[in-house]
Amino acid sequence: MPLNTQEILELITIICEQRHVQVCVTQSLRGAAITAAGALFGSLLLGPVGLVMGAVGGSVSAISTGEQYRPLPQILINDITPAQREEITTRINRVLADLDVTDLRTVMLLATSSSVSDVVLRELGSYVQRELSMAIKHN
């Protein structure tokens, strides 16, 4: 019998905590707004030279504030739709079925094994990059 969504999320949380998995959340719109504001104020103050200086200054500011890392379980619980959560559950269940693992107790015991956690993390990383357009980072 496949695991339910809550059990899969518990498994993901355990593995992510063990491996310190985080997701890079870029804030590209905010960066663009900072760059545009710098260019606008620079051009108003100094003309064409200020436009260049403001754009460069705004770009540097945007780059320094452009990325934030958040724990993957937090993203999965708070930031995605229930349909996306179900899709992740289906994918992880498929991976675990290939390993012939069907009950939560066995999964939790195997979660400490690097082979199971590697397979789950590989599937999660693939989903996060392809469907959510985020980069995953872990130790």
Side-chain angles (χ1 to χ4, degrees):
M1 183 173 129
L3 302 174
N4 66 36
T5 303
Q6 188 59 38
E7 293 169 337
I8 293 291
L9 289 175
E10 287 175 28
L11 171 67
I12 290 170
T13 301
I14 289 170
I15 292 173
C16 290
E17 286 174 355
Q18 288 174 349
R19 297 281 189 98
H20 307 287
V21 177
Q22 295 184 328
V23 175
C24 176
V25 182
T26 58
Q27 300 178 356
S28 53
L29 289 179
R30 181 175 163 194
I34 291 170
T35 302
L40 175 67
F41 289 124
S43 67
L44 289 175
L45 295 174
L46 301 173
V49 173
L51 175 67
V52 173
M53 291 173 53
V56 170
S59 297
V60 169
S61 297
I63 289 170
S64 67
T65 63
E67 294 182 345
Q68 293 181 349
Y69 287 94
R70 293 177 48 204
L72 180 58
Q74 184 182 57
I75 301 274
L76 297 178
I77 292 169
N78 299 325
D79 296 350
I80 65 173
T81 66
Q84 290 172 319
R85 212 171 287 125
E86 281 299 320
E87 185 177 352
I88 289 172
T89 301
T90 302
R91 287 176 178 226
I92 300 299
N93 267 324
R94 215 175 295 133
V95 167
L96 293 175
D98 290 342
L99 298 173
D100 198 30
V101 176
T102 55
D103 80 5
L104 183 61
R105 185 173 299 136
T106 307
V107 169
M108 294 306 175
L109 288 173
L110 291 174
T112 58
S113 132
S114 64
S115 61
V116 172
S117 59
D118 286 345
V119 170
V120 170
L121 284 177
R122 194 173 321 123
E123 186 63 34
L124 277 172
S126 170
Y127 181 82
V128 166
Q129 286 179 321
R130 192 174 328 120
E131 302 297 327
L132 303 178
S133 301
M134 296 178 179
I136 193 167
K137 170 184 113 168
H138 59 85
N139 296 345

